[in-house]
Amino acid sequence: MTKCNHCFNACLKQENVDMMTKCIQLDRECAEICSYLEGAITRNSPFIKQLAAVCAEICQTCGEECNRHHHDHCQRCADACFHCAKACREVS
């Protein structure tokens, strides 16, 4: 969540922000689902497995998009997303 929010903000400051539109959108989606899943886990929600499966899919997609960009913040975000996707798949 933190890496996605950082990437989101850094992408908005890029010279060619239009090229970063998909990355920005996926950063936002990924940060939101990670935050929601974290809350669901702390509430002991009965939907943790389903939410983790969705989170894994979104994290994987965000990681793949960030990995396409050579900015340092995108690469760090991609690494975090792939790690999160793996952890979510283990939960789901």
Side-chain angles (χ1 to χ4, degrees), residues 55-67:
C55 190
E57 182 180 350
I58 293 171
C59 287
Q60 184 69 37
T61 304
C62 185
E64 289 168 2
E65 176 61 27
C66 285
N67 209 30

Side-chain angles (χ1 to χ4, degrees), residues 24-71:
I24 292 166
Q25 180 184 25
L26 287 170
D27 283 337
R28 189 73 184 140
E29 293 294 327
C30 194
E32 289 293 326
I33 191 64
C34 288
S35 177
Y36 191 83
L37 177 59
E38 180 182 42
I41 290 169
T42 63
R43 300 189 291 281
N44 199 28
S45 169
F47 302 104
I48 292 172
K49 287 185 179 188
Q50 296 92 327
L51 291 168
V54 171
C55 190
E57 182 180 350
I58 293 171
C59 287
Q60 184 69 37
T61 304
C62 185
E64 289 168 2
E65 176 61 27
C66 285
N67 209 30
R68 293 179 56 233
H69 303 284
H70 299 292
H71 303 94

Side-chain angles (χ1 to χ4, degrees), residues 3 5-24 27 65-66 68-77:
K3 294 290 184 189
N5 281 326
H6 176 76
C7 187
F8 171 86
N9 287 319
C11 285
L12 287 173
K13 296 175 185 171
Q14 292 299 312
E15 196 170 298
N16 189 357
V17 74
D18 291 340
M19 191 177 106
M20 304 305 292
T21 303
K22 188 172 181 181
C23 188
I24 292 166
D27 283 337
E65 176 61 27
C66 285
R68 293 179 56 233
H69 303 284
H70 299 292
H71 303 94
D72 196 40
H73 58 86
C74 287
Q75 292 300 306
R76 285 192 305 265
C77 186

